[in-house]
């Protein structure tokens, strides 16, 4: 990480070396908080309003009173990018429960804490957008929405991290995570799509997935381009036998999957529908977003 980075920390812009949170912050002690990962392309913050809205929704569910308004949060994101003179980058906006005591009760944490980091991101190598990435299915099931709803983009990512460790050990880039009933939910940091006979499918959010902003963008772009896109439950059978499979996320964009649990998907390369969606996505992100300069 560039040591000259300027970070927004609870109202101030400070150098990275001074960007520190308290050991009594419940974001650290209990994973109590929420965050957003946002991209900036070509001097524009992509889907800024949608990201801030999702953060505010999560904060509401967590009964976390963010000390900044929607507009102020948007300003923090833009200003952090400007301070670092970024045109393309990855932004991490975090709200923690703030400083409390060693008990878990949020009532002891009077003020939530907001910080924002804007830096560059190392994506999957460009080659993988042509060859695709191998994925495995994790033993670890995705959190059941009746216990901890995956729609909450919380600071507790252990469910995803345990699945990611399985992927790492298998030499795979990502892991498919199933819901309790065995249907496909999503991946550790990406939503999942499959293509069969020209029709695109993605699991409904209620299966236990984050309501991904890239997912929604891809749904809109695909439908706009004339594809039939269905939000419909499916199982691993449908993934293995799909013509194409791809994953979406702010970091990953729209990355093809070449194999799942060692079954080759389609031709084993990036299929034509995935290539088309990726092209539409990359074109769209560069031309849309909140201009910051
Ligand atoms: N699922 C999970 C679990 C995620 O953490 C993410 C974000 N990386 C996504 C899906 C994709 O969401 P988005 O398109 O909003 O980045």
């Amino acid at each position: 990480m560039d040591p000259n980075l300027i970070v927004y920390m609870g109202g101030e812009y400070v150098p990275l070396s001074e960007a520190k949170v308290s050991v009594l912050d419940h974001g650290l002690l209990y994973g109590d908080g929420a965050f957003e990962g946002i991209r900036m392309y070509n001097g524009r913050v992509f889907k800024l309003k949608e990201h801030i809205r999702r953060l505010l929704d999560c904060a509401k569910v967590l009964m976390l009173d963010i000390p900044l308004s929607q507009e102020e949060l948007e300003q923090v994101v833009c200003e952090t990018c400007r301070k670092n003179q970024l045109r393309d980058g990855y932004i991490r906006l975090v709200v923690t429960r703030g400083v409390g005591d060693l008990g878990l009760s949020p009532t002891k944490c009077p003020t939530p804490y907001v910080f924002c980091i804007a830096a560059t991101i190392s994506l999957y190598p460009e080659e993988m957008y042509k060859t695709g990435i191998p994925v495995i299915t994790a033993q670890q099931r995705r959190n059941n929405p009746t216990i901890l709803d995956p729609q909450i983009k919380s600071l507790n990512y252990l469910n995803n991290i345990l699945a990611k460790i399985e992927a790492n050990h298998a030499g795979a880039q990502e892991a498919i995570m199933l819901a309790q009933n065995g249907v496909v939910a999503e991946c550790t940091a990406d939503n999942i799509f499959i293509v069969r006979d020209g029709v695109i499918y993605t699991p409904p959010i209620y299966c236990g997935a984050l309501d991904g902003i890239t997912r929604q963008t891809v749904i809109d772009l695909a439908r706009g381009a004339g594809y039939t896109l269905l939000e419909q439950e499916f199982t691993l059978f449908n993934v293995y036998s799909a013509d194409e499979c791809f994953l979406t996320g702010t970091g990953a964009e729209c990355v093809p999957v070449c194999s799942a649990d060692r079954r080759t998907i389609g031709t084993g390369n990036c299929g034509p529908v995935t290539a088309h969606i990726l092209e539409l996505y990359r074109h769209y992100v560069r031309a849309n977003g909140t201009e910051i300069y």
Side-chain angles (χ1 to χ4, degrees):
M1 203 59 102
D2 178 356
N4 298 317
L5 217 63
I6 301 293
V7 181
Y8 173 86
M9 297 295 292
E12 289 175 74
Y13 292 91
V14 301
L16 184 60
S17 58
E18 291 168 30
K20 301 203 163 88
V21 291
S22 165
V23 291
L24 290 175
D25 192 308
H26 281 208
L28 178 63
L29 289 178
Y30 294 110
D32 186 354
F35 77 98
E36 281 299 318
I38 310 171
R39 280 289 279 278
M40 183 188 187
Y41 295 94
N42 197 26
R44 300 163 192 256
V45 180
F46 186 62
K47 298 277 182 192
L48 177 58
K49 285 201 183 307
E50 287 80 352
H51 281 286
I52 300 299
R53 184 162 187 216
R54 185 168 68 184
L55 185 68
L56 291 171
D57 287 346
C58 290
K60 182 166 191 187
V61 171
L62 299 176
M63 302 182 95
L64 195 63
D65 258 330
I66 303 182
L68 301 176
S69 67
Q70 179 201 321
E71 291 75 25
E72 286 167 334
L73 287 166
E74 289 175 16
Q75 278 311 312
V76 162
V77 168
C78 295
E79 189 56 22
T80 310
C81 292
R82 280 192 288 264
K83 291 251 190 254
N84 290 286
Q85 291 163 8
L86 282 176
R87 289 199 68 79
D88 293 271
Y90 181 84
I91 302 143
R92 175 56 54 94
L93 177 61
V94 182
V95 185
T96 74
R97 185 71 66 183
V99 170
D101 65 14
L102 290 177
L104 74 84
S105 178
T107 54
K108 298 284 176 58
C109 309
T111 324
Y113 192 71
V114 179
F115 64 90
C116 183
I117 309 164
T120 49
I121 189 175
S122 58
L123 278 177
Y124 288 125
E126 194 49 36
E127 192 56 23
M128 288 190 176
Y129 290 86
K130 297 193 181 77
T131 59
I133 59 166
V135 304
I136 54 124
T137 305
Q139 296 290 321
Q140 180 76 31
R141 294 290 167 107
R142 190 72 177 102
N143 282 335
N144 188 307
T146 61
I147 298 169
L148 182 60
D149 197 318
Q151 288 192 76
I152 307 172
K153 200 164 167 58
S154 84
L155 292 182
N156 189 328
Y157 251 53
L158 280 180
N159 179 225
N160 316 56
I161 289 166
L162 287 171
K164 185 75 175 181
I165 289 169
E166 292 184 50
N168 290 345
H169 284 181
Q173 302 286 334
E174 250 291 17
I176 296 173
M177 298 188 77
L178 306 178
Q180 292 295 316
N181 67 357
V183 301
V184 172
E186 61 170 344
C187 292
T188 68
D190 300 302
N191 292 107
I192 184 165
F193 291 72
I194 57 172
V195 184
R196 174 85 172 190
D197 294 333
V199 177
I200 310 173
Y201 301 86
T202 193
I205 294 305
Y206 68 76
C207 286
L210 182 73
D211 191 355
I213 287 170
T214 319
R215 174 185 181 277
Q216 191 57 52
T217 306
V218 162
I219 290 174
D220 295 342
L221 289 173
R223 287 186 178 150
Y227 289 101
T228 301
L229 191 150
L230 303 174
E231 293 180 64
Q232 193 171 297
E233 293 183 17
F234 55 82
T235 65
L236 283 175
F237 181 94
N238 307 106
V239 176
Y240 298 155
S241 57
D243 298 329
E244 301 179 33
C245 174
F246 63 88
L247 313 181
T248 65
T250 295
E253 300 182 313
C254 173
V255 69
V257 172
C258 60
S259 71
D261 301 324
R262 296 177 186 262
R263 278 86 166 172
T264 301
I265 310 282
T267 59
N269 275 308
C270 180
V273 176
T274 306
H276 188 198
I277 300 288
L278 176 61
E279 187 194 321
L280 291 172
Y281 186 78
R282 288 205 163 149
H283 185 262
Y284 184 80
V285 295
R286 292 193 66 75
N288 291 278
T290 307
E291 293 215 31
I292 67 154
Y293 295 106

